[in-house]
């Protein structure tokens, strides 16, 4: 984590320094435990990962999972989102586990997202102070998420212990709860190595940890519709549906000398949706109400959201999709929006 202008952070280490021989023995013990696992993957155990108390447990992501492109994309999307939210704080996050473990960035993030102020010390350098701060921040997070049925897969010790899986679960939940204008990669899972000390020996096993499912499932919209079935069981019919919707849209947009050839991209900035609603309802949409040539993500989201408002005014139900989904080129979301228009206006000349 970098601050645009600040003094270097000071870390106070309170743990004892192991003797070289002890580190060597413990490291060998840890490697033997991992190598004896049923999983073929090998994991490097650092000395600090083997200094466990009896029955204490530590988890780490298998290195092969960290190289997965979808995992890397998930981490990048979350880092970029956090940095976008905190741009006015002059905070730049570079590595999630190193920059979020002490609670300082999480505090700023929650305050910005929730438009609130937490009663915590601004800077804490001792481990006790950091955990107290984390406790306060996480309690505030839990008050937000619990009423909405979120499963809380993190705690103070996990976050402060730089458990990347726990930190990812936390950020994903916050992004979904606050409807972040981002697109998380779907179906991301990682192999996690769990190391536990029992009777003086380290034992390990591998588990699969699911980080993301589908956008709709993560948003809590579990009801399935015809498009879920179409995508899952009849992808061959998808081109027929797309062709029908393109024909319907062009029937009206051609009146303005406009033509659609690609559903995924040409409705993403919201302009065609706004103009289409005006044509279907037979009114002129004032140009100052939307961006005719949007050049930013926010302007595109504004346009799509405005089109949704026009749909509600026209008696349509609130679209199941989010404006951000359409802007992010989510085909299923775009098809749902257009199909709702087709259902009501298919006989309009």
């Amino acid at each position: 984590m970098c601050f645009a202008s600040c003094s270097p952070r000071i870390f106070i280490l309170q743990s004892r320094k192991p003797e070289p021989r002890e580190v060597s023995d413990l490291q060998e013990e840890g490697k033997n435990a991992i190598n004896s696992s049923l999983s073929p993957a090998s994991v490097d155990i650092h000395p600090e990962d083997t200094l466990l108390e009896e029955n204490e447990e530590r988890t780490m992501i298998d290195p092969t999972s960290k190289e997965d492109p979808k995992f890397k994309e998930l981490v990048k999307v979350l880092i970029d989102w956090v940095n976008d939210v905190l741009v006015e704080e002059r905070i730049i996050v570079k590595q999630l586990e190193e920059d979020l473990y002490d609670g300082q960035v999480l505090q700023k993030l929650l305050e910005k997202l929730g438009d609130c102020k937490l009663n915590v010390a601004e800077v804490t350098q001792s481990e006790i102070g950091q955990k107290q701060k984390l406790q306060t921040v996480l309690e505030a997070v839990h008050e937000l998420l619990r009423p909405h049925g979120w499963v809380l897969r993190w705690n103070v010790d996990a976050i402060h212990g730089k458990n990347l899986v726990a930190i990812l679960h936390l950020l994903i939940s916050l992004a979904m709860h606050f409807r972040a204008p981002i697109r998380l990669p779907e179906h991301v899972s990682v192999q996690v190595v769990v190391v536990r000390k029992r009777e003086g020996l380290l034992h390990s096993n591998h588990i699969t940890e699911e980080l993301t499912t589908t956008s709709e499932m993560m948003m809590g919209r579990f009801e399935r519709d015809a498009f879920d079935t179409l995508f899952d069981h009849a992808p061959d019919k998808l081109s027929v549906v797309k062709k029908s919707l393109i024909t319907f849209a062009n029937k009206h947009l051609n009146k303005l000398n406009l033509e659609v050839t690609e559903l995924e991209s040409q409705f993403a900035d919201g302009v065609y949706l706004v103009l289409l609603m005006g044509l279907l309802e037979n009114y002129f949409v004032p140009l100052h109400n939307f961006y005719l040539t949007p050049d930013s993500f926010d302007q595109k989201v504004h346009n799509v959201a405005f089109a949704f408002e026009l749909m509600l005014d026209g008696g349509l139900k609130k679209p199941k999709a989010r404006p951000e989904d359409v802007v992010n080129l989510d085909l299923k979301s775009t098809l749902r929006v257009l199909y709702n228009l087709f259902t009501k206006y298919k006989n309009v000349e």
Side-chain angles (χ1 to χ4, degrees), residues 43 50 117 121 173 198 204 218 238 297 305-306:
V43 179
T50 64
K117 183 67 177 176
S173 297
R198 291 198 303 266
S204 71
M218 290 186 289
L238 185 60
F297 185 88
F306 177 58

Side-chain angles (χ1 to χ4, degrees), residues 14-31:
Q14 298 182 325
S15 59
R16 66 182 179 85
K17 182 178 180 181
E19 294 297 327
R21 175 65 180 173
E22 181 183 4
V23 170
S24 176
D25 292 343
L26 288 170
Q27 190 168 15
E28 188 63 26
E29 179 184 0
K31 288 183 177 179

Side-chain angles (χ1 to χ4, degrees), residues 97-112:
E97 57 267 52
E98 294 296 332
D99 295 339
L100 270 66
Y101 79 96
D102 62 1
Q104 186 170 348
V105 172
L106 287 175
Q107 172 207 342
K108 297 295 184 183
L109 182 65
L110 185 59
E111 288 179 339
K112 196 74 174 179

Side-chain angles (χ1 to χ4, degrees), residues 291-328:
Y291 298 95
L292 192 58
T293 55
D295 57 7
S296 70
F297 185 88
D298 289 341
Q299 289 180 0
K300 293 175 183 179
V301 170
H302 168 87
N303 282 355
V304 178
F306 177 58
F308 284 7
E309 291 176 13
L310 297 180
M311 294 174 195
L312 291 174
D313 292 341
L316 288 164
K317 292 183 179 180
K318 182 179 180 180
K320 184 178 180 181
R322 301 183 307 155
E324 293 86 357
D325 296 332
V326 176
V327 176
N328 280 318

Side-chain angles (χ1 to χ4, degrees), residues 106-160:
L106 287 175
Q107 172 207 342
K108 297 295 184 183
L109 182 65
L110 185 59
E111 288 179 339
K112 196 74 174 179
L113 292 171
D115 192 22
C116 61
K117 183 67 177 176
L118 299 180
N119 184 23
V120 292
E122 283 299 315
V123 179
T124 53
Q125 295 173 342
S126 69
E127 180 178 340
I128 294 176
Q130 290 170 354
K131 287 190 173 183
Q132 288 174 341
K133 183 172 191 170
L134 263 178
Q135 183 69 39
T136 301
V137 173
L138 294 185
E139 284 176 358
V141 171
H142 297 169
E143 289 178 7
L144 281 173
L145 300 183
R146 271 204 190 97
H148 299 280
W150 289 100
V151 178
L152 310 180
R153 298 178 178 177
W154 58 83
N155 55 44
V156 171
D157 289 335
I159 301 296
H160 194 268

Side-chain angles (χ1 to χ4, degrees), residues 177-194:
H177 178 78
F178 287 103
R179 303 177 72 86
I182 57 177
R183 186 75 180 171
L184 296 176
E186 299 182 344
H187 301 296
V188 180
S189 298
V190 292
Q191 287 292 314
V192 176
V193 183
V194 182

Side-chain angles (χ1 to χ4, degrees), residues 50-65:
T50 64
L51 298 177
L52 303 178
E53 300 294 334
E54 185 67 17
N55 292 320
E56 187 180 353
E57 183 178 279
R58 186 158 298 168
T59 63
M60 62 202 80
I61 298 177
D62 191 301
T64 56
S65 290

